[in-house]
Amino acid sequence: MTRYRPLYTIALLLSLWTWVAPVWSQQQLPDKKGEQDIAAKAVGLLSFVAVDYPESVTDGVVRDRKLYRQQQSNVEVASALLQQLPDRPGRAQLQDSLKELARLITDRAAPDLVRRRANTAADRFAALYQLPRSPAESLPSGEEAQALYQDRCSQCHGERGDATQPERRLDDPVRMANLSLYDFYNVLEPTRNDAHDTAVDSDLSSRQRWALAVLVAGFSAPEIAPAPQLAEKYPALVGLPGMAVLRPAELPQEARNALVWWRAHPAETRHLQHPLARAAGLLYLAQTAYRGGDIASAYHQLMLGLREGYLESRPQLAQRNPALATQLDQQWQDLRVAILDQAPTNEVIEKFQRLQGNVVRGREQLQPTTGGGIYGWGALLFIAALGLGAALWYRLRRRRAGTS
């Protein structure tokens, strides 16, 4: 099985965000929500390719011709949706990825390969078009959605996801491991998916959708909680955004089983997350909100990261590295002031990135030696992302200067 480092995926997503960030403020559409809905619909279609393709093709033979044609149609529609969206650095590469995915399906390629390519394309969609794939607050408990599920979902999906029709079952561990919490959430958005009629999901709040996602994820979760030591080994899996966006099927077996349980029990899992990891996750969400134009949410998440993450670990960090703690104090304040003073977008993004990098550095210094390698990979890839973004921005500025 391919080796997987939890922060590796998060860092790669950060690199995509850094790549598109410099030109983001100059290329926004007036209808921001409409743009996100189009991208989210494409993400949903690709996620279902990843989930359903193994049911349609086995060993190069089409088992279910109707489902197989649906997979081809999903990719075609996703490609058409991409053409409706504004150009971004990396859109051409995404279009090439969709063409390659279509070719693999036509060639009846191995399910694991199609799954990985479909999920990669979905993640690129989300990165390029700034989809907020994680809740602004902590994940709600699935218990909040029990009555809602019984009233609106159980007739089709069964009392505990145990529907008789395979395509409606929600308790199949293999199938559910191919979906993230965000994938569950996304299918409950009527403007992004037509899987349900308006009587089911047209009036659901964002919190209700996340609660339903957590509840549904629990139908296939193991009954026994994973060992607490796994939270130190895979820190990106016990907090946002990792818990919301990562798919268990992409992880090694022990991490896969752990995430399946953790995401179904967010309240019981919250205490396993290190405060600095929580701060880094909230900063990540704040950056996403800021780049999407939601300044109020960005500021709110920034301050949550400060109060509920950094300040809890500051005494320990100050003892270990007083210079870094002092630098972080100043960076939190500088970023707060920059947002309140409506500083230029590029300046604010740069401050976000510097603060994020130092929070990751601080977490690495407080991380037990058994998990230090994970944070090392994350920090290196984050730094590489910053360099990539800076280089692209410099090239774009030179090109514009030459044409003006």
PDB file of all heavy atoms in Angstrom, residues 98-134:
ATOM      1  N   LEU A  98      -9.130  15.659 -16.229  1.00  0.00           N
ATOM      2  CA  LEU A  98     -10.462  15.114 -16.517  1.00  0.00           C
ATOM      3  C   LEU A  98     -10.454  14.300 -17.807  1.00  0.00           C
ATOM      4  O   LEU A  98     -11.119  13.260 -17.900  1.00  0.00           O
ATOM      5  CB  LEU A  98     -11.480  16.251 -16.604  1.00  0.00           C
ATOM      6  CG  LEU A  98     -11.757  16.996 -15.291  1.00  0.00           C
ATOM      7  CD1 LEU A  98     -12.671  18.188 -15.530  1.00  0.00           C
ATOM      8  CD2 LEU A  98     -12.365  16.061 -14.256  1.00  0.00           C
ATOM      9  N   LYS A  99      -9.695  14.758 -18.799  1.00  0.00           N
ATOM     10  CA  LYS A  99      -9.574  13.979 -20.039  1.00  0.00           C
ATOM     11  C   LYS A  99      -8.904  12.631 -19.772  1.00  0.00           C
ATOM     12  O   LYS A  99      -9.313  11.595 -20.301  1.00  0.00           O
ATOM     13  CB  LYS A  99      -8.771  14.774 -21.075  1.00  0.00           C
ATOM     14  CG  LYS A  99      -9.498  15.995 -21.621  1.00  0.00           C
ATOM     15  CD  LYS A  99      -8.616  16.746 -22.610  1.00  0.00           C
ATOM     16  CE  LYS A  99      -9.321  17.995 -23.146  1.00  0.00           C
ATOM     17  NZ  LYS A  99      -8.441  18.784 -24.047  1.00  0.00           N
ATOM     18  N   GLU A 100      -7.877  12.662 -18.920  1.00  0.00           N
ATOM     19  CA  GLU A 100      -7.194  11.418 -18.578  1.00  0.00           C
ATOM     20  C   GLU A 100      -8.126  10.483 -17.817  1.00  0.00           C
ATOM     21  O   GLU A 100      -8.138   9.263 -18.033  1.00  0.00           O
ATOM     22  CB  GLU A 100      -5.958  11.732 -17.736  1.00  0.00           C
ATOM     23  CG  GLU A 100      -5.227  10.527 -17.154  1.00  0.00           C
ATOM     24  CD  GLU A 100      -4.596   9.638 -18.207  1.00  0.00           C
ATOM     25  OE1 GLU A 100      -4.557  10.035 -19.397  1.00  0.00           O
ATOM     26  OE2 GLU A 100      -4.131   8.539 -17.855  1.00  0.00           O
ATOM     27  N   LEU A 101      -8.933  11.022 -16.915  1.00  0.00           N
ATOM     28  CA  LEU A 101      -9.892  10.209 -16.169  1.00  0.00           C
ATOM     29  C   LEU A 101     -10.913   9.580 -17.112  1.00  0.00           C
ATOM     30  O   LEU A 101     -11.246   8.393 -16.981  1.00  0.00           O
ATOM     31  CB  LEU A 101     -10.595  11.080 -15.116  1.00  0.00           C
ATOM     32  CG  LEU A 101     -11.688  10.406 -14.290  1.00  0.00           C
ATOM     33  CD1 LEU A 101     -11.134   9.218 -13.520  1.00  0.00           C
ATOM     34  CD2 LEU A 101     -12.340  11.418 -13.342  1.00  0.00           C
ATOM     35  N   ALA A 102     -11.400  10.365 -18.076  1.00  0.00           N
ATOM     36  CA  ALA A 102     -12.344   9.824 -19.057  1.00  0.00           C
ATOM     37  C   ALA A 102     -11.714   8.689 -19.856  1.00  0.00           C
ATOM     38  O   ALA A 102     -12.368   7.671 -20.134  1.00  0.00           O
ATOM     39  CB  ALA A 102     -12.813  10.938 -19.989  1.00  0.00           C
ATOM     40  N   ARG A 103     -10.450   8.843 -20.220  1.00  0.00           N
ATOM     41  CA  ARG A 103      -9.753   7.800 -20.979  1.00  0.00           C
ATOM     42  C   ARG A 103      -9.619   6.524 -20.143  1.00  0.00           C
ATOM     43  O   ARG A 103      -9.819   5.407 -20.648  1.00  0.00           O
ATOM     44  CB  ARG A 103      -8.373   8.289 -21.408  1.00  0.00           C
ATOM     45  CG  ARG A 103      -7.616   7.292 -22.300  1.00  0.00           C
ATOM     46  CD  ARG A 103      -6.174   7.689 -22.506  1.00  0.00           C
ATOM     47  NE  ARG A 103      -5.427   7.642 -21.262  1.00  0.00           N
ATOM     48  CZ  ARG A 103      -4.983   6.518 -20.713  1.00  0.00           C
ATOM     49  NH1 ARG A 103      -5.242   5.334 -21.270  1.00  0.00           N
ATOM     50  NH2 ARG A 103      -4.298   6.553 -19.591  1.00  0.00           N
ATOM     51  N   LEU A 104      -9.293   6.674 -18.852  1.00  0.00           N
ATOM     52  CA  LEU A 104      -9.148   5.507 -17.984  1.00  0.00           C
ATOM     53  C   LEU A 104     -10.468   4.738 -17.869  1.00  0.00           C
ATOM     54  O   LEU A 104     -10.488   3.505 -17.871  1.00  0.00           O
ATOM     55  CB  LEU A 104      -8.676   5.945 -16.594  1.00  0.00           C
ATOM     56  CG  LEU A 104      -7.233   6.438 -16.500  1.00  0.00           C
ATOM     57  CD1 LEU A 104      -6.961   7.000 -15.106  1.00  0.00           C
ATOM     58  CD2 LEU A 104      -6.245   5.316 -16.816  1.00  0.00           C
ATOM     59  N   ILE A 105     -11.568   5.469 -17.778  1.00  0.00           N
ATOM     60  CA  ILE A 105     -12.869   4.807 -17.684  1.00  0.00           C
ATOM     61  C   ILE A 105     -13.191   4.098 -18.997  1.00  0.00           C
ATOM     62  O   ILE A 105     -13.679   2.960 -19.003  1.00  0.00           O
ATOM     63  CB  ILE A 105     -13.963   5.830 -17.325  1.00  0.00           C
ATOM     64  CG1 ILE A 105     -13.714   6.370 -15.914  1.00  0.00           C
ATOM     65  CG2 ILE A 105     -15.347   5.189 -17.410  1.00  0.00           C
ATOM     66  CD1 ILE A 105     -14.669   7.465 -15.500  1.00  0.00           C
ATOM     67  N   THR A 106     -12.904   4.757 -20.116  1.00  0.00           N
ATOM     68  CA  THR A 106     -13.128   4.127 -21.424  1.00  0.00           C
ATOM     69  C   THR A 106     -12.308   2.851 -21.560  1.00  0.00           C
ATOM     70  O   THR A 106     -12.778   1.842 -22.108  1.00  0.00           O
ATOM     71  CB  THR A 106     -12.764   5.103 -22.552  1.00  0.00           C
ATOM     72  OG1 THR A 106     -13.606   6.263 -22.457  1.00  0.00           O
ATOM     73  CG2 THR A 106     -12.946   4.459 -23.921  1.00  0.00           C
ATOM     74  N   ASP A 107     -11.080   2.874 -21.038  1.00  0.00           N
ATOM     75  CA  ASP A 107     -10.189   1.710 -21.105  1.00  0.00           C
ATOM     76  C   ASP A 107     -10.486   0.685 -20.016  1.00  0.00           C
ATOM     77  O   ASP A 107      -9.781  -0.323 -19.928  1.00  0.00           O
ATOM     78  CB  ASP A 107      -8.728   2.160 -20.992  1.00  0.00           C
ATOM     79  CG  ASP A 107      -8.270   2.967 -22.196  1.00  0.00           C
ATOM     80  OD1 ASP A 107      -8.980   2.952 -23.221  1.00  0.00           O
ATOM     81  OD2 ASP A 107      -7.218   3.634 -22.100  1.00  0.00           O
ATOM     82  N   ARG A 108     -11.477   0.965 -19.177  1.00  0.00           N
ATOM     83  CA  ARG A 108     -11.865   0.063 -18.088  1.00  0.00           C
ATOM     84  C   ARG A 108     -10.680  -0.239 -17.183  1.00  0.00           C
ATOM     85  O   ARG A 108     -10.362  -1.397 -16.868  1.00  0.00           O
ATOM     86  CB  ARG A 108     -12.453  -1.226 -18.654  1.00  0.00           C
ATOM     87  CG  ARG A 108     -13.648  -0.992 -19.571  1.00  0.00           C
ATOM     88  CD  ARG A 108     -14.067  -2.251 -20.290  1.00  0.00           C
ATOM     89  NE  ARG A 108     -15.084  -1.971 -21.303  1.00  0.00           N
ATOM     90  CZ  ARG A 108     -15.538  -2.860 -22.169  1.00  0.00           C
ATOM     91  NH1 ARG A 108     -15.072  -4.099 -22.146  1.00  0.00           N
ATOM     92  NH2 ARG A 108     -16.461  -2.535 -23.056  1.00  0.00           N
ATOM     93  N   ALA A 109     -10.032   0.811 -16.755  1.00  0.00           N
ATOM     94  CA  ALA A 109      -8.843   0.693 -15.916  1.00  0.00           C
ATOM     95  C   ALA A 109      -9.198   0.147 -14.533  1.00  0.00           C
ATOM     96  O   ALA A 109     -10.373   0.040 -14.157  1.00  0.00           O
ATOM     97  CB  ALA A 109      -8.166   2.063 -15.790  1.00  0.00           C
ATOM     98  N   ALA A 110      -8.170  -0.163 -13.762  1.00  0.00           N
ATOM     99  CA  ALA A 110      -8.367  -0.730 -12.426  1.00  0.00           C
ATOM    100  C   ALA A 110      -9.108   0.256 -11.524  1.00  0.00           C
ATOM    101  O   ALA A 110      -8.846   1.462 -11.567  1.00  0.00           O
ATOM    102  CB  ALA A 110      -7.016  -1.085 -11.811  1.00  0.00           C
ATOM    103  N   PRO A 111     -10.034  -0.223 -10.698  1.00  0.00           N
ATOM    104  CA  PRO A 111     -10.820   0.664  -9.834  1.00  0.00           C
ATOM    105  C   PRO A 111      -9.984   1.559  -8.926  1.00  0.00           C
ATOM    106  O   PRO A 111     -10.317   2.724  -8.732  1.00  0.00           O
ATOM    107  CB  PRO A 111     -11.674  -0.308  -9.015  1.00  0.00           C
ATOM    108  CG  PRO A 111     -11.844  -1.493  -9.911  1.00  0.00           C
ATOM    109  CD  PRO A 111     -10.532  -1.611 -10.635  1.00  0.00           C
ATOM    110  N   ASP A 112      -8.892   1.034  -8.357  1.00  0.00           N
ATOM    111  CA  ASP A 112      -8.069   1.853  -7.459  1.00  0.00           C
ATOM    112  C   ASP A 112      -7.479   3.049  -8.195  1.00  0.00           C
ATOM    113  O   ASP A 112      -7.401   4.153  -7.645  1.00  0.00           O
ATOM    114  CB  ASP A 112      -6.937   1.022  -6.850  1.00  0.00           C
ATOM    115  CG  ASP A 112      -7.391   0.274  -5.608  1.00  0.00           C
ATOM    116  OD1 ASP A 112      -8.533   0.516  -5.165  1.00  0.00           O
ATOM    117  OD2 ASP A 112      -6.622  -0.550  -5.094  1.00  0.00           O
ATOM    118  N   LEU A 113      -7.058   2.839  -9.438  1.00  0.00           N
ATOM    119  CA  LEU A 113      -6.475   3.922 -10.218  1.00  0.00           C
ATOM    120  C   LEU A 113      -7.527   4.974 -10.542  1.00  0.00           C
ATOM    121  O   LEU A 113      -7.284   6.182 -10.401  1.00  0.00           O
ATOM    122  CB  LEU A 113      -5.859   3.372 -11.502  1.00  0.00           C
ATOM    123  CG  LEU A 113      -5.241   4.409 -12.459  1.00  0.00           C
ATOM    124  CD1 LEU A 113      -4.148   5.212 -11.760  1.00  0.00           C
ATOM    125  CD2 LEU A 113      -4.700   3.725 -13.712  1.00  0.00           C
ATOM    126  N   VAL A 114      -8.700   4.542 -10.963  1.00  0.00           N
ATOM    127  CA  VAL A 114      -9.784   5.482 -11.275  1.00  0.00           C
ATOM    128  C   VAL A 114     -10.199   6.242 -10.026  1.00  0.00           C
ATOM    129  O   VAL A 114     -10.427   7.457 -10.067  1.00  0.00           O
ATOM    130  CB  VAL A 114     -10.980   4.733 -11.881  1.00  0.00           C
ATOM    131  CG1 VAL A 114     -12.185   5.658 -12.015  1.00  0.00           C
ATOM    132  CG2 VAL A 114     -10.601   4.159 -13.246  1.00  0.00           C
ATOM    133  N   ARG A 115     -10.284   5.553  -8.899  1.00  0.00           N
ATOM    134  CA  ARG A 115     -10.663   6.209  -7.651  1.00  0.00           C
ATOM    135  C   ARG A 115      -9.678   7.318  -7.293  1.00  0.00           C
ATOM    136  O   ARG A 115     -10.080   8.437  -6.960  1.00  0.00           O
ATOM    137  CB  ARG A 115     -10.730   5.182  -6.516  1.00  0.00           C
ATOM    138  CG  ARG A 115     -10.943   5.816  -5.137  1.00  0.00           C
ATOM    139  CD  ARG A 115     -11.026   4.750  -4.046  1.00  0.00           C
ATOM    140  NE  ARG A 115      -9.863   3.894  -4.017  1.00  0.00           N
ATOM    141  CZ  ARG A 115      -8.707   4.212  -3.446  1.00  0.00           C
ATOM    142  NH1 ARG A 115      -8.548   5.397  -2.883  1.00  0.00           N
ATOM    143  NH2 ARG A 115      -7.706   3.359  -3.450  1.00  0.00           N
ATOM    144  N   ARG A 116      -8.385   7.007  -7.372  1.00  0.00           N
ATOM    145  CA  ARG A 116      -7.379   8.017  -7.013  1.00  0.00           C
ATOM    146  C   ARG A 116      -7.435   9.213  -7.951  1.00  0.00           C
ATOM    147  O   ARG A 116      -7.351  10.364  -7.513  1.00  0.00           O
ATOM    148  CB  ARG A 116      -5.979   7.388  -7.032  1.00  0.00           C
ATOM    149  CG  ARG A 116      -5.721   6.417  -5.889  1.00  0.00           C
ATOM    150  CD  ARG A 116      -4.242   6.133  -5.750  1.00  0.00           C
ATOM    151  NE  ARG A 116      -3.659   5.592  -6.973  1.00  0.00           N
ATOM    152  CZ  ARG A 116      -3.586   4.295  -7.250  1.00  0.00           C
ATOM    153  NH1 ARG A 116      -4.088   3.415  -6.395  1.00  0.00           N
ATOM    154  NH2 ARG A 116      -3.027   3.872  -8.367  1.00  0.00           N
ATOM    155  N   ARG A 117      -7.581   8.955  -9.248  1.00  0.00           N
ATOM    156  CA  ARG A 117      -7.612  10.065 -10.212  1.00  0.00           C
ATOM    157  C   ARG A 117      -8.873  10.906 -10.049  1.00  0.00           C
ATOM    158  O   ARG A 117      -8.823  12.131 -10.168  1.00  0.00           O
ATOM    159  CB  ARG A 117      -7.521   9.510 -11.637  1.00  0.00           C
ATOM    160  CG  ARG A 117      -6.210   8.799 -11.936  1.00  0.00           C
ATOM    161  CD  ARG A 117      -5.033   9.761 -11.933  1.00  0.00           C
ATOM    162  NE  ARG A 117      -3.760   9.084 -12.125  1.00  0.00           N
ATOM    163  CZ  ARG A 117      -3.267   8.726 -13.300  1.00  0.00           C
ATOM    164  NH1 ARG A 117      -3.950   8.987 -14.401  1.00  0.00           N
ATOM    165  NH2 ARG A 117      -2.105   8.102 -13.380  1.00  0.00           N
ATOM    166  N   ALA A 118     -10.001  10.261  -9.786  1.00  0.00           N
ATOM    167  CA  ALA A 118     -11.246  11.006  -9.603  1.00  0.00           C
ATOM    168  C   ALA A 118     -11.169  11.877  -8.350  1.00  0.00           C
ATOM    169  O   ALA A 118     -11.579  13.050  -8.360  1.00  0.00           O
ATOM    170  CB  ALA A 118     -12.426  10.050  -9.515  1.00  0.00           C
ATOM    171  N   ASN A 119     -10.641  11.323  -7.266  1.00  0.00           N
ATOM    172  CA  ASN A 119     -10.519  12.098  -6.028  1.00  0.00           C
ATOM    173  C   ASN A 119      -9.525  13.245  -6.178  1.00  0.00           C
ATOM    174  O   ASN A 119      -9.736  14.342  -5.648  1.00  0.00           O
ATOM    175  CB  ASN A 119     -10.104  11.186  -4.879  1.00  0.00           C
ATOM    176  CG  ASN A 119     -11.256  10.329  -4.369  1.00  0.00           C
ATOM    177  OD1 ASN A 119     -12.417  10.689  -4.534  1.00  0.00           O
ATOM    178  ND2 ASN A 119     -10.936   9.203  -3.769  1.00  0.00           N
ATOM    179  N   THR A 120      -8.439  13.004  -6.905  1.00  0.00           N
ATOM    180  CA  THR A 120      -7.463  14.070  -7.139  1.00  0.00           C
ATOM    181  C   THR A 120      -8.088  15.212  -7.927  1.00  0.00           C
ATOM    182  O   THR A 120      -7.884  16.393  -7.604  1.00  0.00           O
ATOM    183  CB  THR A 120      -6.242  13.510  -7.890  1.00  0.00           C
ATOM    184  OG1 THR A 120      -5.593  12.525  -7.081  1.00  0.00           O
ATOM    185  CG2 THR A 120      -5.249  14.624  -8.207  1.00  0.00           C
ATOM    186  N   ALA A 121      -8.851  14.873  -8.950  1.00  0.00           N
ATOM    187  CA  ALA A 121      -9.517  15.909  -9.743  1.00  0.00           C
ATOM    188  C   ALA A 121     -10.525  16.678  -8.888  1.00  0.00           C
ATOM    189  O   ALA A 121     -10.644  17.907  -8.998  1.00  0.00           O
ATOM    190  CB  ALA A 121     -10.211  15.285 -10.954  1.00  0.00           C
ATOM    191  N   ALA A 122     -11.258  15.978  -8.026  1.00  0.00           N
ATOM    192  CA  ALA A 122     -12.217  16.649  -7.140  1.00  0.00           C
ATOM    193  C   ALA A 122     -11.500  17.614  -6.209  1.00  0.00           C
ATOM    194  O   ALA A 122     -11.956  18.750  -5.986  1.00  0.00           O
ATOM    195  CB  ALA A 122     -12.995  15.610  -6.340  1.00  0.00           C
ATOM    196  N   ASP A 123     -10.368  17.199  -5.666  1.00  0.00           N
ATOM    197  CA  ASP A 123      -9.611  18.072  -4.764  1.00  0.00           C
ATOM    198  C   ASP A 123      -9.067  19.298  -5.496  1.00  0.00           C
ATOM    199  O   ASP A 123      -9.005  20.401  -4.941  1.00  0.00           O
ATOM    200  CB  ASP A 123      -8.462  17.297  -4.120  1.00  0.00           C
ATOM    201  CG  ASP A 123      -8.968  16.260  -3.108  1.00  0.00           C
ATOM    202  OD1 ASP A 123     -10.100  16.412  -2.629  1.00  0.00           O
ATOM    203  OD2 ASP A 123      -8.219  15.300  -2.819  1.00  0.00           O
ATOM    204  N   ARG A 124      -8.660  19.122  -6.746  1.00  0.00           N
ATOM    205  CA  ARG A 124      -8.161  20.259  -7.523  1.00  0.00           C
ATOM    206  C   ARG A 124      -9.281  21.262  -7.809  1.00  0.00           C
ATOM    207  O   ARG A 124      -9.069  22.471  -7.768  1.00  0.00           O
ATOM    208  CB  ARG A 124      -7.540  19.776  -8.833  1.00  0.00           C
ATOM    209  CG  ARG A 124      -6.187  19.110  -8.652  1.00  0.00           C
ATOM    210  CD  ARG A 124      -5.655  18.564  -9.959  1.00  0.00           C
ATOM    211  NE  ARG A 124      -4.328  17.983  -9.798  1.00  0.00           N
ATOM    212  CZ  ARG A 124      -3.705  17.294 -10.730  1.00  0.00           C
ATOM    213  NH1 ARG A 124      -4.298  17.080 -11.903  1.00  0.00           N
ATOM    214  NH2 ARG A 124      -2.501  16.805 -10.518  1.00  0.00           N
ATOM    215  N   PHE A 125     -10.455  20.755  -8.113  1.00  0.00           N
ATOM    216  CA  PHE A 125     -11.622  21.628  -8.284  1.00  0.00           C
ATOM    217  C   PHE A 125     -11.818  22.485  -7.034  1.00  0.00           C
ATOM    218  O   PHE A 125     -11.985  23.707  -7.104  1.00  0.00           O
ATOM    219  CB  PHE A 125     -12.885  20.794  -8.515  1.00  0.00           C
ATOM    220  CG  PHE A 125     -13.423  20.858  -9.918  1.00  0.00           C
ATOM    221  CD1 PHE A 125     -13.354  19.755 -10.753  1.00  0.00           C
ATOM    222  CD2 PHE A 125     -14.016  22.013 -10.391  1.00  0.00           C
ATOM    223  CE1 PHE A 125     -13.859  19.799 -12.044  1.00  0.00           C
ATOM    224  CE2 PHE A 125     -14.528  22.073 -11.679  1.00  0.00           C
ATOM    225  CZ  PHE A 125     -14.445  20.960 -12.516  1.00  0.00           C
ATOM    226  N   ALA A 126     -11.826  21.813  -5.890  1.00  0.00           N
ATOM    227  CA  ALA A 126     -12.078  22.509  -4.628  1.00  0.00           C
ATOM    228  C   ALA A 126     -11.002  23.549  -4.338  1.00  0.00           C
ATOM    229  O   ALA A 126     -11.300  24.648  -3.847  1.00  0.00           O
ATOM    230  CB  ALA A 126     -12.149  21.498  -3.487  1.00  0.00           C
ATOM    231  N   ALA A 127      -9.759  23.228  -4.648  1.00  0.00           N
ATOM    232  CA  ALA A 127      -8.666  24.162  -4.378  1.00  0.00           C
ATOM    233  C   ALA A 127      -8.717  25.370  -5.307  1.00  0.00           C
ATOM    234  O   ALA A 127      -8.575  26.512  -4.865  1.00  0.00           O
ATOM    235  CB  ALA A 127      -7.319  23.444  -4.516  1.00  0.00           C
ATOM    236  N   LEU A 128      -8.929  25.122  -6.596  1.00  0.00           N
ATOM    237  CA  LEU A 128      -8.913  26.220  -7.561  1.00  0.00           C
ATOM    238  C   LEU A 128     -10.054  27.196  -7.344  1.00  0.00           C
ATOM    239  O   LEU A 128      -9.896  28.399  -7.557  1.00  0.00           O
ATOM    240  CB  LEU A 128      -8.976  25.657  -8.991  1.00  0.00           C
ATOM    241  CG  LEU A 128      -7.711  24.991  -9.529  1.00  0.00           C
ATOM    242  CD1 LEU A 128      -7.955  24.476 -10.933  1.00  0.00           C
ATOM    243  CD2 LEU A 128      -6.537  25.948  -9.516  1.00  0.00           C
ATOM    244  N   TYR A 129     -11.206  26.684  -6.903  1.00  0.00           N
ATOM    245  CA  TYR A 129     -12.379  27.548  -6.795  1.00  0.00           C
ATOM    246  C   TYR A 129     -12.819  27.780  -5.354  1.00  0.00           C
ATOM    247  O   TYR A 129     -13.958  28.119  -5.085  1.00  0.00           O
ATOM    248  CB  TYR A 129     -13.507  27.006  -7.676  1.00  0.00           C
ATOM    249  CG  TYR A 129     -13.089  27.088  -9.126  1.00  0.00           C
ATOM    250  CD1 TYR A 129     -12.610  25.972  -9.798  1.00  0.00           C
ATOM    251  CD2 TYR A 129     -13.069  28.307  -9.788  1.00  0.00           C
ATOM    252  CE1 TYR A 129     -12.154  26.070 -11.109  1.00  0.00           C
ATOM    253  CE2 TYR A 129     -12.623  28.416 -11.092  1.00  0.00           C
ATOM    254  CZ  TYR A 129     -12.168  27.291 -11.746  1.00  0.00           C
ATOM    255  OH  TYR A 129     -11.704  27.395 -13.046  1.00  0.00           O
ATOM    256  N   GLN A 130     -11.846  27.610  -4.441  1.00  0.00           N
ATOM    257  CA  GLN A 130     -11.981  28.064  -3.061  1.00  0.00           C
ATOM    258  C   GLN A 130     -13.241  27.537  -2.367  1.00  0.00           C
ATOM    259  O   GLN A 130     -13.959  28.277  -1.698  1.00  0.00           O
ATOM    260  CB  GLN A 130     -11.990  29.595  -3.027  1.00  0.00           C
ATOM    261  CG  GLN A 130     -10.774  30.261  -3.659  1.00  0.00           C
ATOM    262  CD  GLN A 130      -9.513  30.029  -2.853  1.00  0.00           C
ATOM    263  OE1 GLN A 130      -9.464  30.345  -1.678  1.00  0.00           O
ATOM    264  NE2 GLN A 130      -8.479  29.512  -3.486  1.00  0.00           N
ATOM    265  N   LEU A 131     -13.522  26.253  -2.524  1.00  0.00           N
ATOM    266  CA  LEU A 131     -14.690  25.689  -1.865  1.00  0.00           C
ATOM    267  C   LEU A 131     -14.445  25.569  -0.362  1.00  0.00           C
ATOM    268  O   LEU A 131     -13.435  24.982   0.050  1.00  0.00           O
ATOM    269  CB  LEU A 131     -15.004  24.296  -2.426  1.00  0.00           C
ATOM    270  CG  LEU A 131     -15.576  24.228  -3.830  1.00  0.00           C
ATOM    271  CD1 LEU A 131     -15.911  22.781  -4.172  1.00  0.00           C
ATOM    272  CD2 LEU A 131     -16.806  25.093  -3.972  1.00  0.00           C
ATOM    273  N   PRO A 132     -15.318  26.099   0.465  1.00  0.00           N
ATOM    274  CA  PRO A 132     -15.185  25.910   1.916  1.00  0.00           C
ATOM    275  C   PRO A 132     -15.668  24.514   2.293  1.00  0.00           C
ATOM    276  O   PRO A 132     -16.862  24.289   2.527  1.00  0.00           O
ATOM    277  CB  PRO A 132     -16.097  27.001   2.495  1.00  0.00           C
ATOM    278  CG  PRO A 132     -17.106  27.251   1.436  1.00  0.00           C
ATOM    279  CD  PRO A 132     -16.457  26.969   0.117  1.00  0.00           C
ATOM    280  N   ARG A 133     -14.758  23.571   2.360  1.00  0.00           N
ATOM    281  CA  ARG A 133     -15.146  22.176   2.571  1.00  0.00           C
ATOM    282  C   ARG A 133     -15.097  21.758   4.037  1.00  0.00           C
ATOM    283  O   ARG A 133     -15.124  20.569   4.353  1.00  0.00           O
ATOM    284  CB  ARG A 133     -14.252  21.254   1.741  1.00  0.00           C
ATOM    285  CG  ARG A 133     -14.428  21.438   0.252  1.00  0.00           C
ATOM    286  CD  ARG A 133     -13.808  20.291  -0.511  1.00  0.00           C
ATOM    287  NE  ARG A 133     -12.363  20.271  -0.398  1.00  0.00           N
ATOM    288  CZ  ARG A 133     -11.600  19.253  -0.773  1.00  0.00           C
ATOM    289  NH1 ARG A 133     -12.160  18.166  -1.271  1.00  0.00           N
ATOM    290  NH2 ARG A 133     -10.293  19.323  -0.665  1.00  0.00           N
ATOM    291  N   SER A 134     -15.012  22.728   4.924  1.00  0.00           N
ATOM    292  CA  SER A 134     -14.960  22.430   6.341  1.00  0.00           C
ATOM    293  C   SER A 134     -15.842  23.433   7.066  1.00  0.00           C
ATOM    294  O   SER A 134     -15.934  24.587   6.649  1.00  0.00           O
ATOM    295  CB  SER A 134     -13.512  22.531   6.846  1.00  0.00           C
ATOM    296  OG  SER A 134     -13.409  22.150   8.192  1.00  0.00           O
TER     297      SER A 134
END
